[in-house]
Amino acid sequence: MSPARPGVALLVLAKAPQPHHVKTRLCPPATPDEAAYLAAAALLDTLDAVRAVPRGCPVVAMTGKLAESARARDVGAALCGIPIVIQRGCDLGHRIAAAHDDTAALAPGLPTLQLGMDTPQVDAALLSDSAAPLIADGPRPVDAVLGPAADGGWWALGLRDPRAAAVIADVPTSRADTGERTLRALQDAGLRVGLLPMLTDVDTAADALAVASAAPATRFAATLGAIPAFRTARGSC
């Protein structure tokens, strides 16, 4: 019997965890090096989650210099065997659309479920449940899924046809209404959209504390707990 074909391409949009280039809004209380270690831990947690999804095909769209990153050896080992594409495009919206196109070329015929490295609390069960509507057949299957983030953005975008990512290329990012605008763009293109659970992504110190509290067994939580400024903040809560 031949092995089951993967059911979904799991696309991680990632930035090499270089000091001064990632998680800069955590500084202060974190130093640039500490913020980079937090980013590395979040990426490692995310890679663990996508690797564990049954019938999943992980792909990473990367930007930045991995050799100059925190935990470069660990991240390199975690990426071993995962196809990597280089992010391309004039801004984040166009990089997202291009990453879906590139993933479709690597995993033809599969839907895509994209997430970033800001939600280390995700696990394989959540990702499997999130991808399920894109694989299911039925009289009115969904064309897309969108996971709203607590800050008004979104943490996951799934597409039955990855080429549909083009409709969100011009949606402004990093705004309080990015999630709403993304949903509207998908719906205006005639796509049936299912909503996923809302998550907190890690942008601020308060976000980092909340995510670590919600997912205490992650590398992210352990790394946060080793940073003196955050350890003091957690103890005062």
Side-chain angles (χ1 to χ4, degrees):
M1 180 182 296
S2 60
R5 186 167 182 264
V8 64
L10 295 152
L11 168 59
V12 179
L13 207 72
K15 180 183 288 188
Q18 298 170 251
H20 302 282
H21 292 271
V22 292
K23 295 296 163 215
T24 55
R25 291 174 63 188
L26 297 181
C27 307
T31 67
D33 283 342
E34 289 168 341
Y37 270 87
L38 284 168
L43 178 56
L44 290 167
D45 287 328
T46 303
L47 293 174
D48 276 353
V50 299
R51 280 186 177 276
V53 174
R55 300 179 64 228
C57 177
V59 176
V60 173
M62 180 68 76
T63 187
K65 300 177 180 178
L66 186 57
E68 299 176 8
S69 299
R71 300 189 67 173
R73 182 173 296 181
D74 293 335
V75 174
L79 290 169
C80 186
I82 297 179
I84 298 173
V85 297
I86 302 303
Q87 292 184 30
R88 55 188 177 87
C90 58
D91 55 30
L92 180 56
H94 287 85
R95 292 199 300 272
I96 289 170
H100 281 266
D101 276 346
D102 291 341
T103 300
L106 288 169
L110 296 186
T112 52
L113 179 67
Q114 177 228 320
L115 67 162
M117 50 188 277
D118 297 331
T119 50
Q121 70 270 45
V122 302
D123 58 20
L126 175 58
L127 295 178
S128 295
D129 289 345
S130 299
L134 303 172
I135 302 169
D137 294 320
R140 286 184 58 81
V142 301
D143 304 300
V145 294
L146 187 68
D151 64 359
W154 51 269
W155 68 270
L157 171 66
L159 295 165
R160 190 177 287 265
D161 179 359
R163 295 170 297 181
V167 307
I168 69 158
D170 293 318
V171 174
T173 56
S174 301
R175 293 171 44 136
D177 62 351
T178 292
E180 179 183 344
R181 286 171 176 261
T182 301
L183 177 60
R184 189 183 311 130
L186 294 167
Q187 292 173 332
D188 287 348
L191 303 181
R192 292 182 292 271
V193 184
L195 292 179
L196 304 177
M198 180 179 288
L199 294 184
T200 296
D201 52 14
V202 176
D203 289 318
T204 67
D207 297 334
L209 289 166
V211 168
S213 178
T218 57
R219 291 183 184 86
F220 181 83
T223 303
L224 190 87
I227 296 173
F230 283 106
R231 190 164 59 239
T232 300
R234 293 176 82 176
S236 65
C237 293

